[in-house]
Amino acid sequence: MRSNVKSRAAAAIGTAFFLAAGSALATADFKAVPKLEEMKDRSAAPDFTLSDPAGKKVSLKDYRGKIVFLNFWASWCAPCRAEMPGMDRLYREFKDKGLEMLAVNVKDKRDDAMRFMKELKISYPVAMDPEGEVGLLYGAWGMPTTYLIDRKGQVLARMWGPADWYSPGARNLIRTLVEQK
């Protein structure tokens, strides 16, 4: 009887430790990416519909159920050029694990944007915002601007300026977000 009580107590302690460790692992560390600002209010990301370079309509709501990495960029933007290869590596690593990336080109001529994407070998989806209306809706006054959006369409975090999106901290953050259900 005494060993049965000890076994149950050990099992309860082990379960409590496992649950505590699991919840600690599931906590996203937004500070792992310098200048990334966690949104405390978690408001809904404004929906929009734009065209991709081929003319197909793309809506933010199409990505519900996935973690969305929404990035605003322009071909003339040197910091965009610097961060996009890391974004592409991040996308390739996590696209089959629940991450969707949508890069919104703001106010570029289509040919300039296409040349830029081809030069950088961008593999993630791109939408065109030729008038900059969606960029303004999201407050993308400068480039690049990035938003992380949860599976329900709520804004988790935002960042103005470039980041090393393939750094260990960024990869751990995205890993944590896609592993949360």
Side-chain angles (χ1 to χ4, degrees), residues 78-166:
C80 299
R81 177 178 296 276
E83 81 170 355
M84 290 176 98
M87 288 169 49
D88 198 65
R89 287 191 301 276
L90 185 74
Y91 174 68
R92 284 186 272 125
E93 181 174 340
F94 291 101
K95 70 179 180 178
D96 296 328
K97 297 173 181 157
L99 176 71
E100 190 56 71
M101 193 170 285
L102 181 59
V104 177
N105 176 265
V106 180
K107 290 189 173 183
D108 261 339
K109 293 179 184 171
R110 184 184 174 284
D111 290 345
D112 292 342
M114 296 298 293
R115 191 170 23 260
F116 182 89
M117 291 169 13
K118 185 177 180 180
E119 181 183 327
L120 293 180
K121 298 179 175 89
I122 301 303
S123 64
Y124 47 81
V126 171
M128 307 301 289
D129 185 15
E131 303 302 319
E133 293 171 1
V134 175
L136 288 176
L137 178 66
Y138 275 82
W141 316 117
M143 304 295 154
T145 298
T146 302
Y147 285 82
L148 296 178
I149 302 168
D150 73 10
R151 297 175 192 282
K152 297 175 192 168
Q154 297 176 319
V155 178
L156 296 171
R158 72 175 169 214
M159 181 173 175
W160 289 287
D164 178 359
W165 289 111
Y166 204 66

Side-chain angles (χ1 to χ4, degrees), residues 30-48:
F30 294 98
K31 292 179 179 160
V33 179
K35 300 186 287 175
L36 183 65
E37 176 186 1
E38 181 178 4
M39 306 308 293
K40 300 297 183 194
D41 65 351
R42 303 286 163 97
S43 60
D47 192 30
F48 59 85

Side-chain angles (χ1 to χ4, degrees), residues 14-26:
T15 301
F17 177 78
F18 176 76
L19 291 174
S23 65
L25 291 175

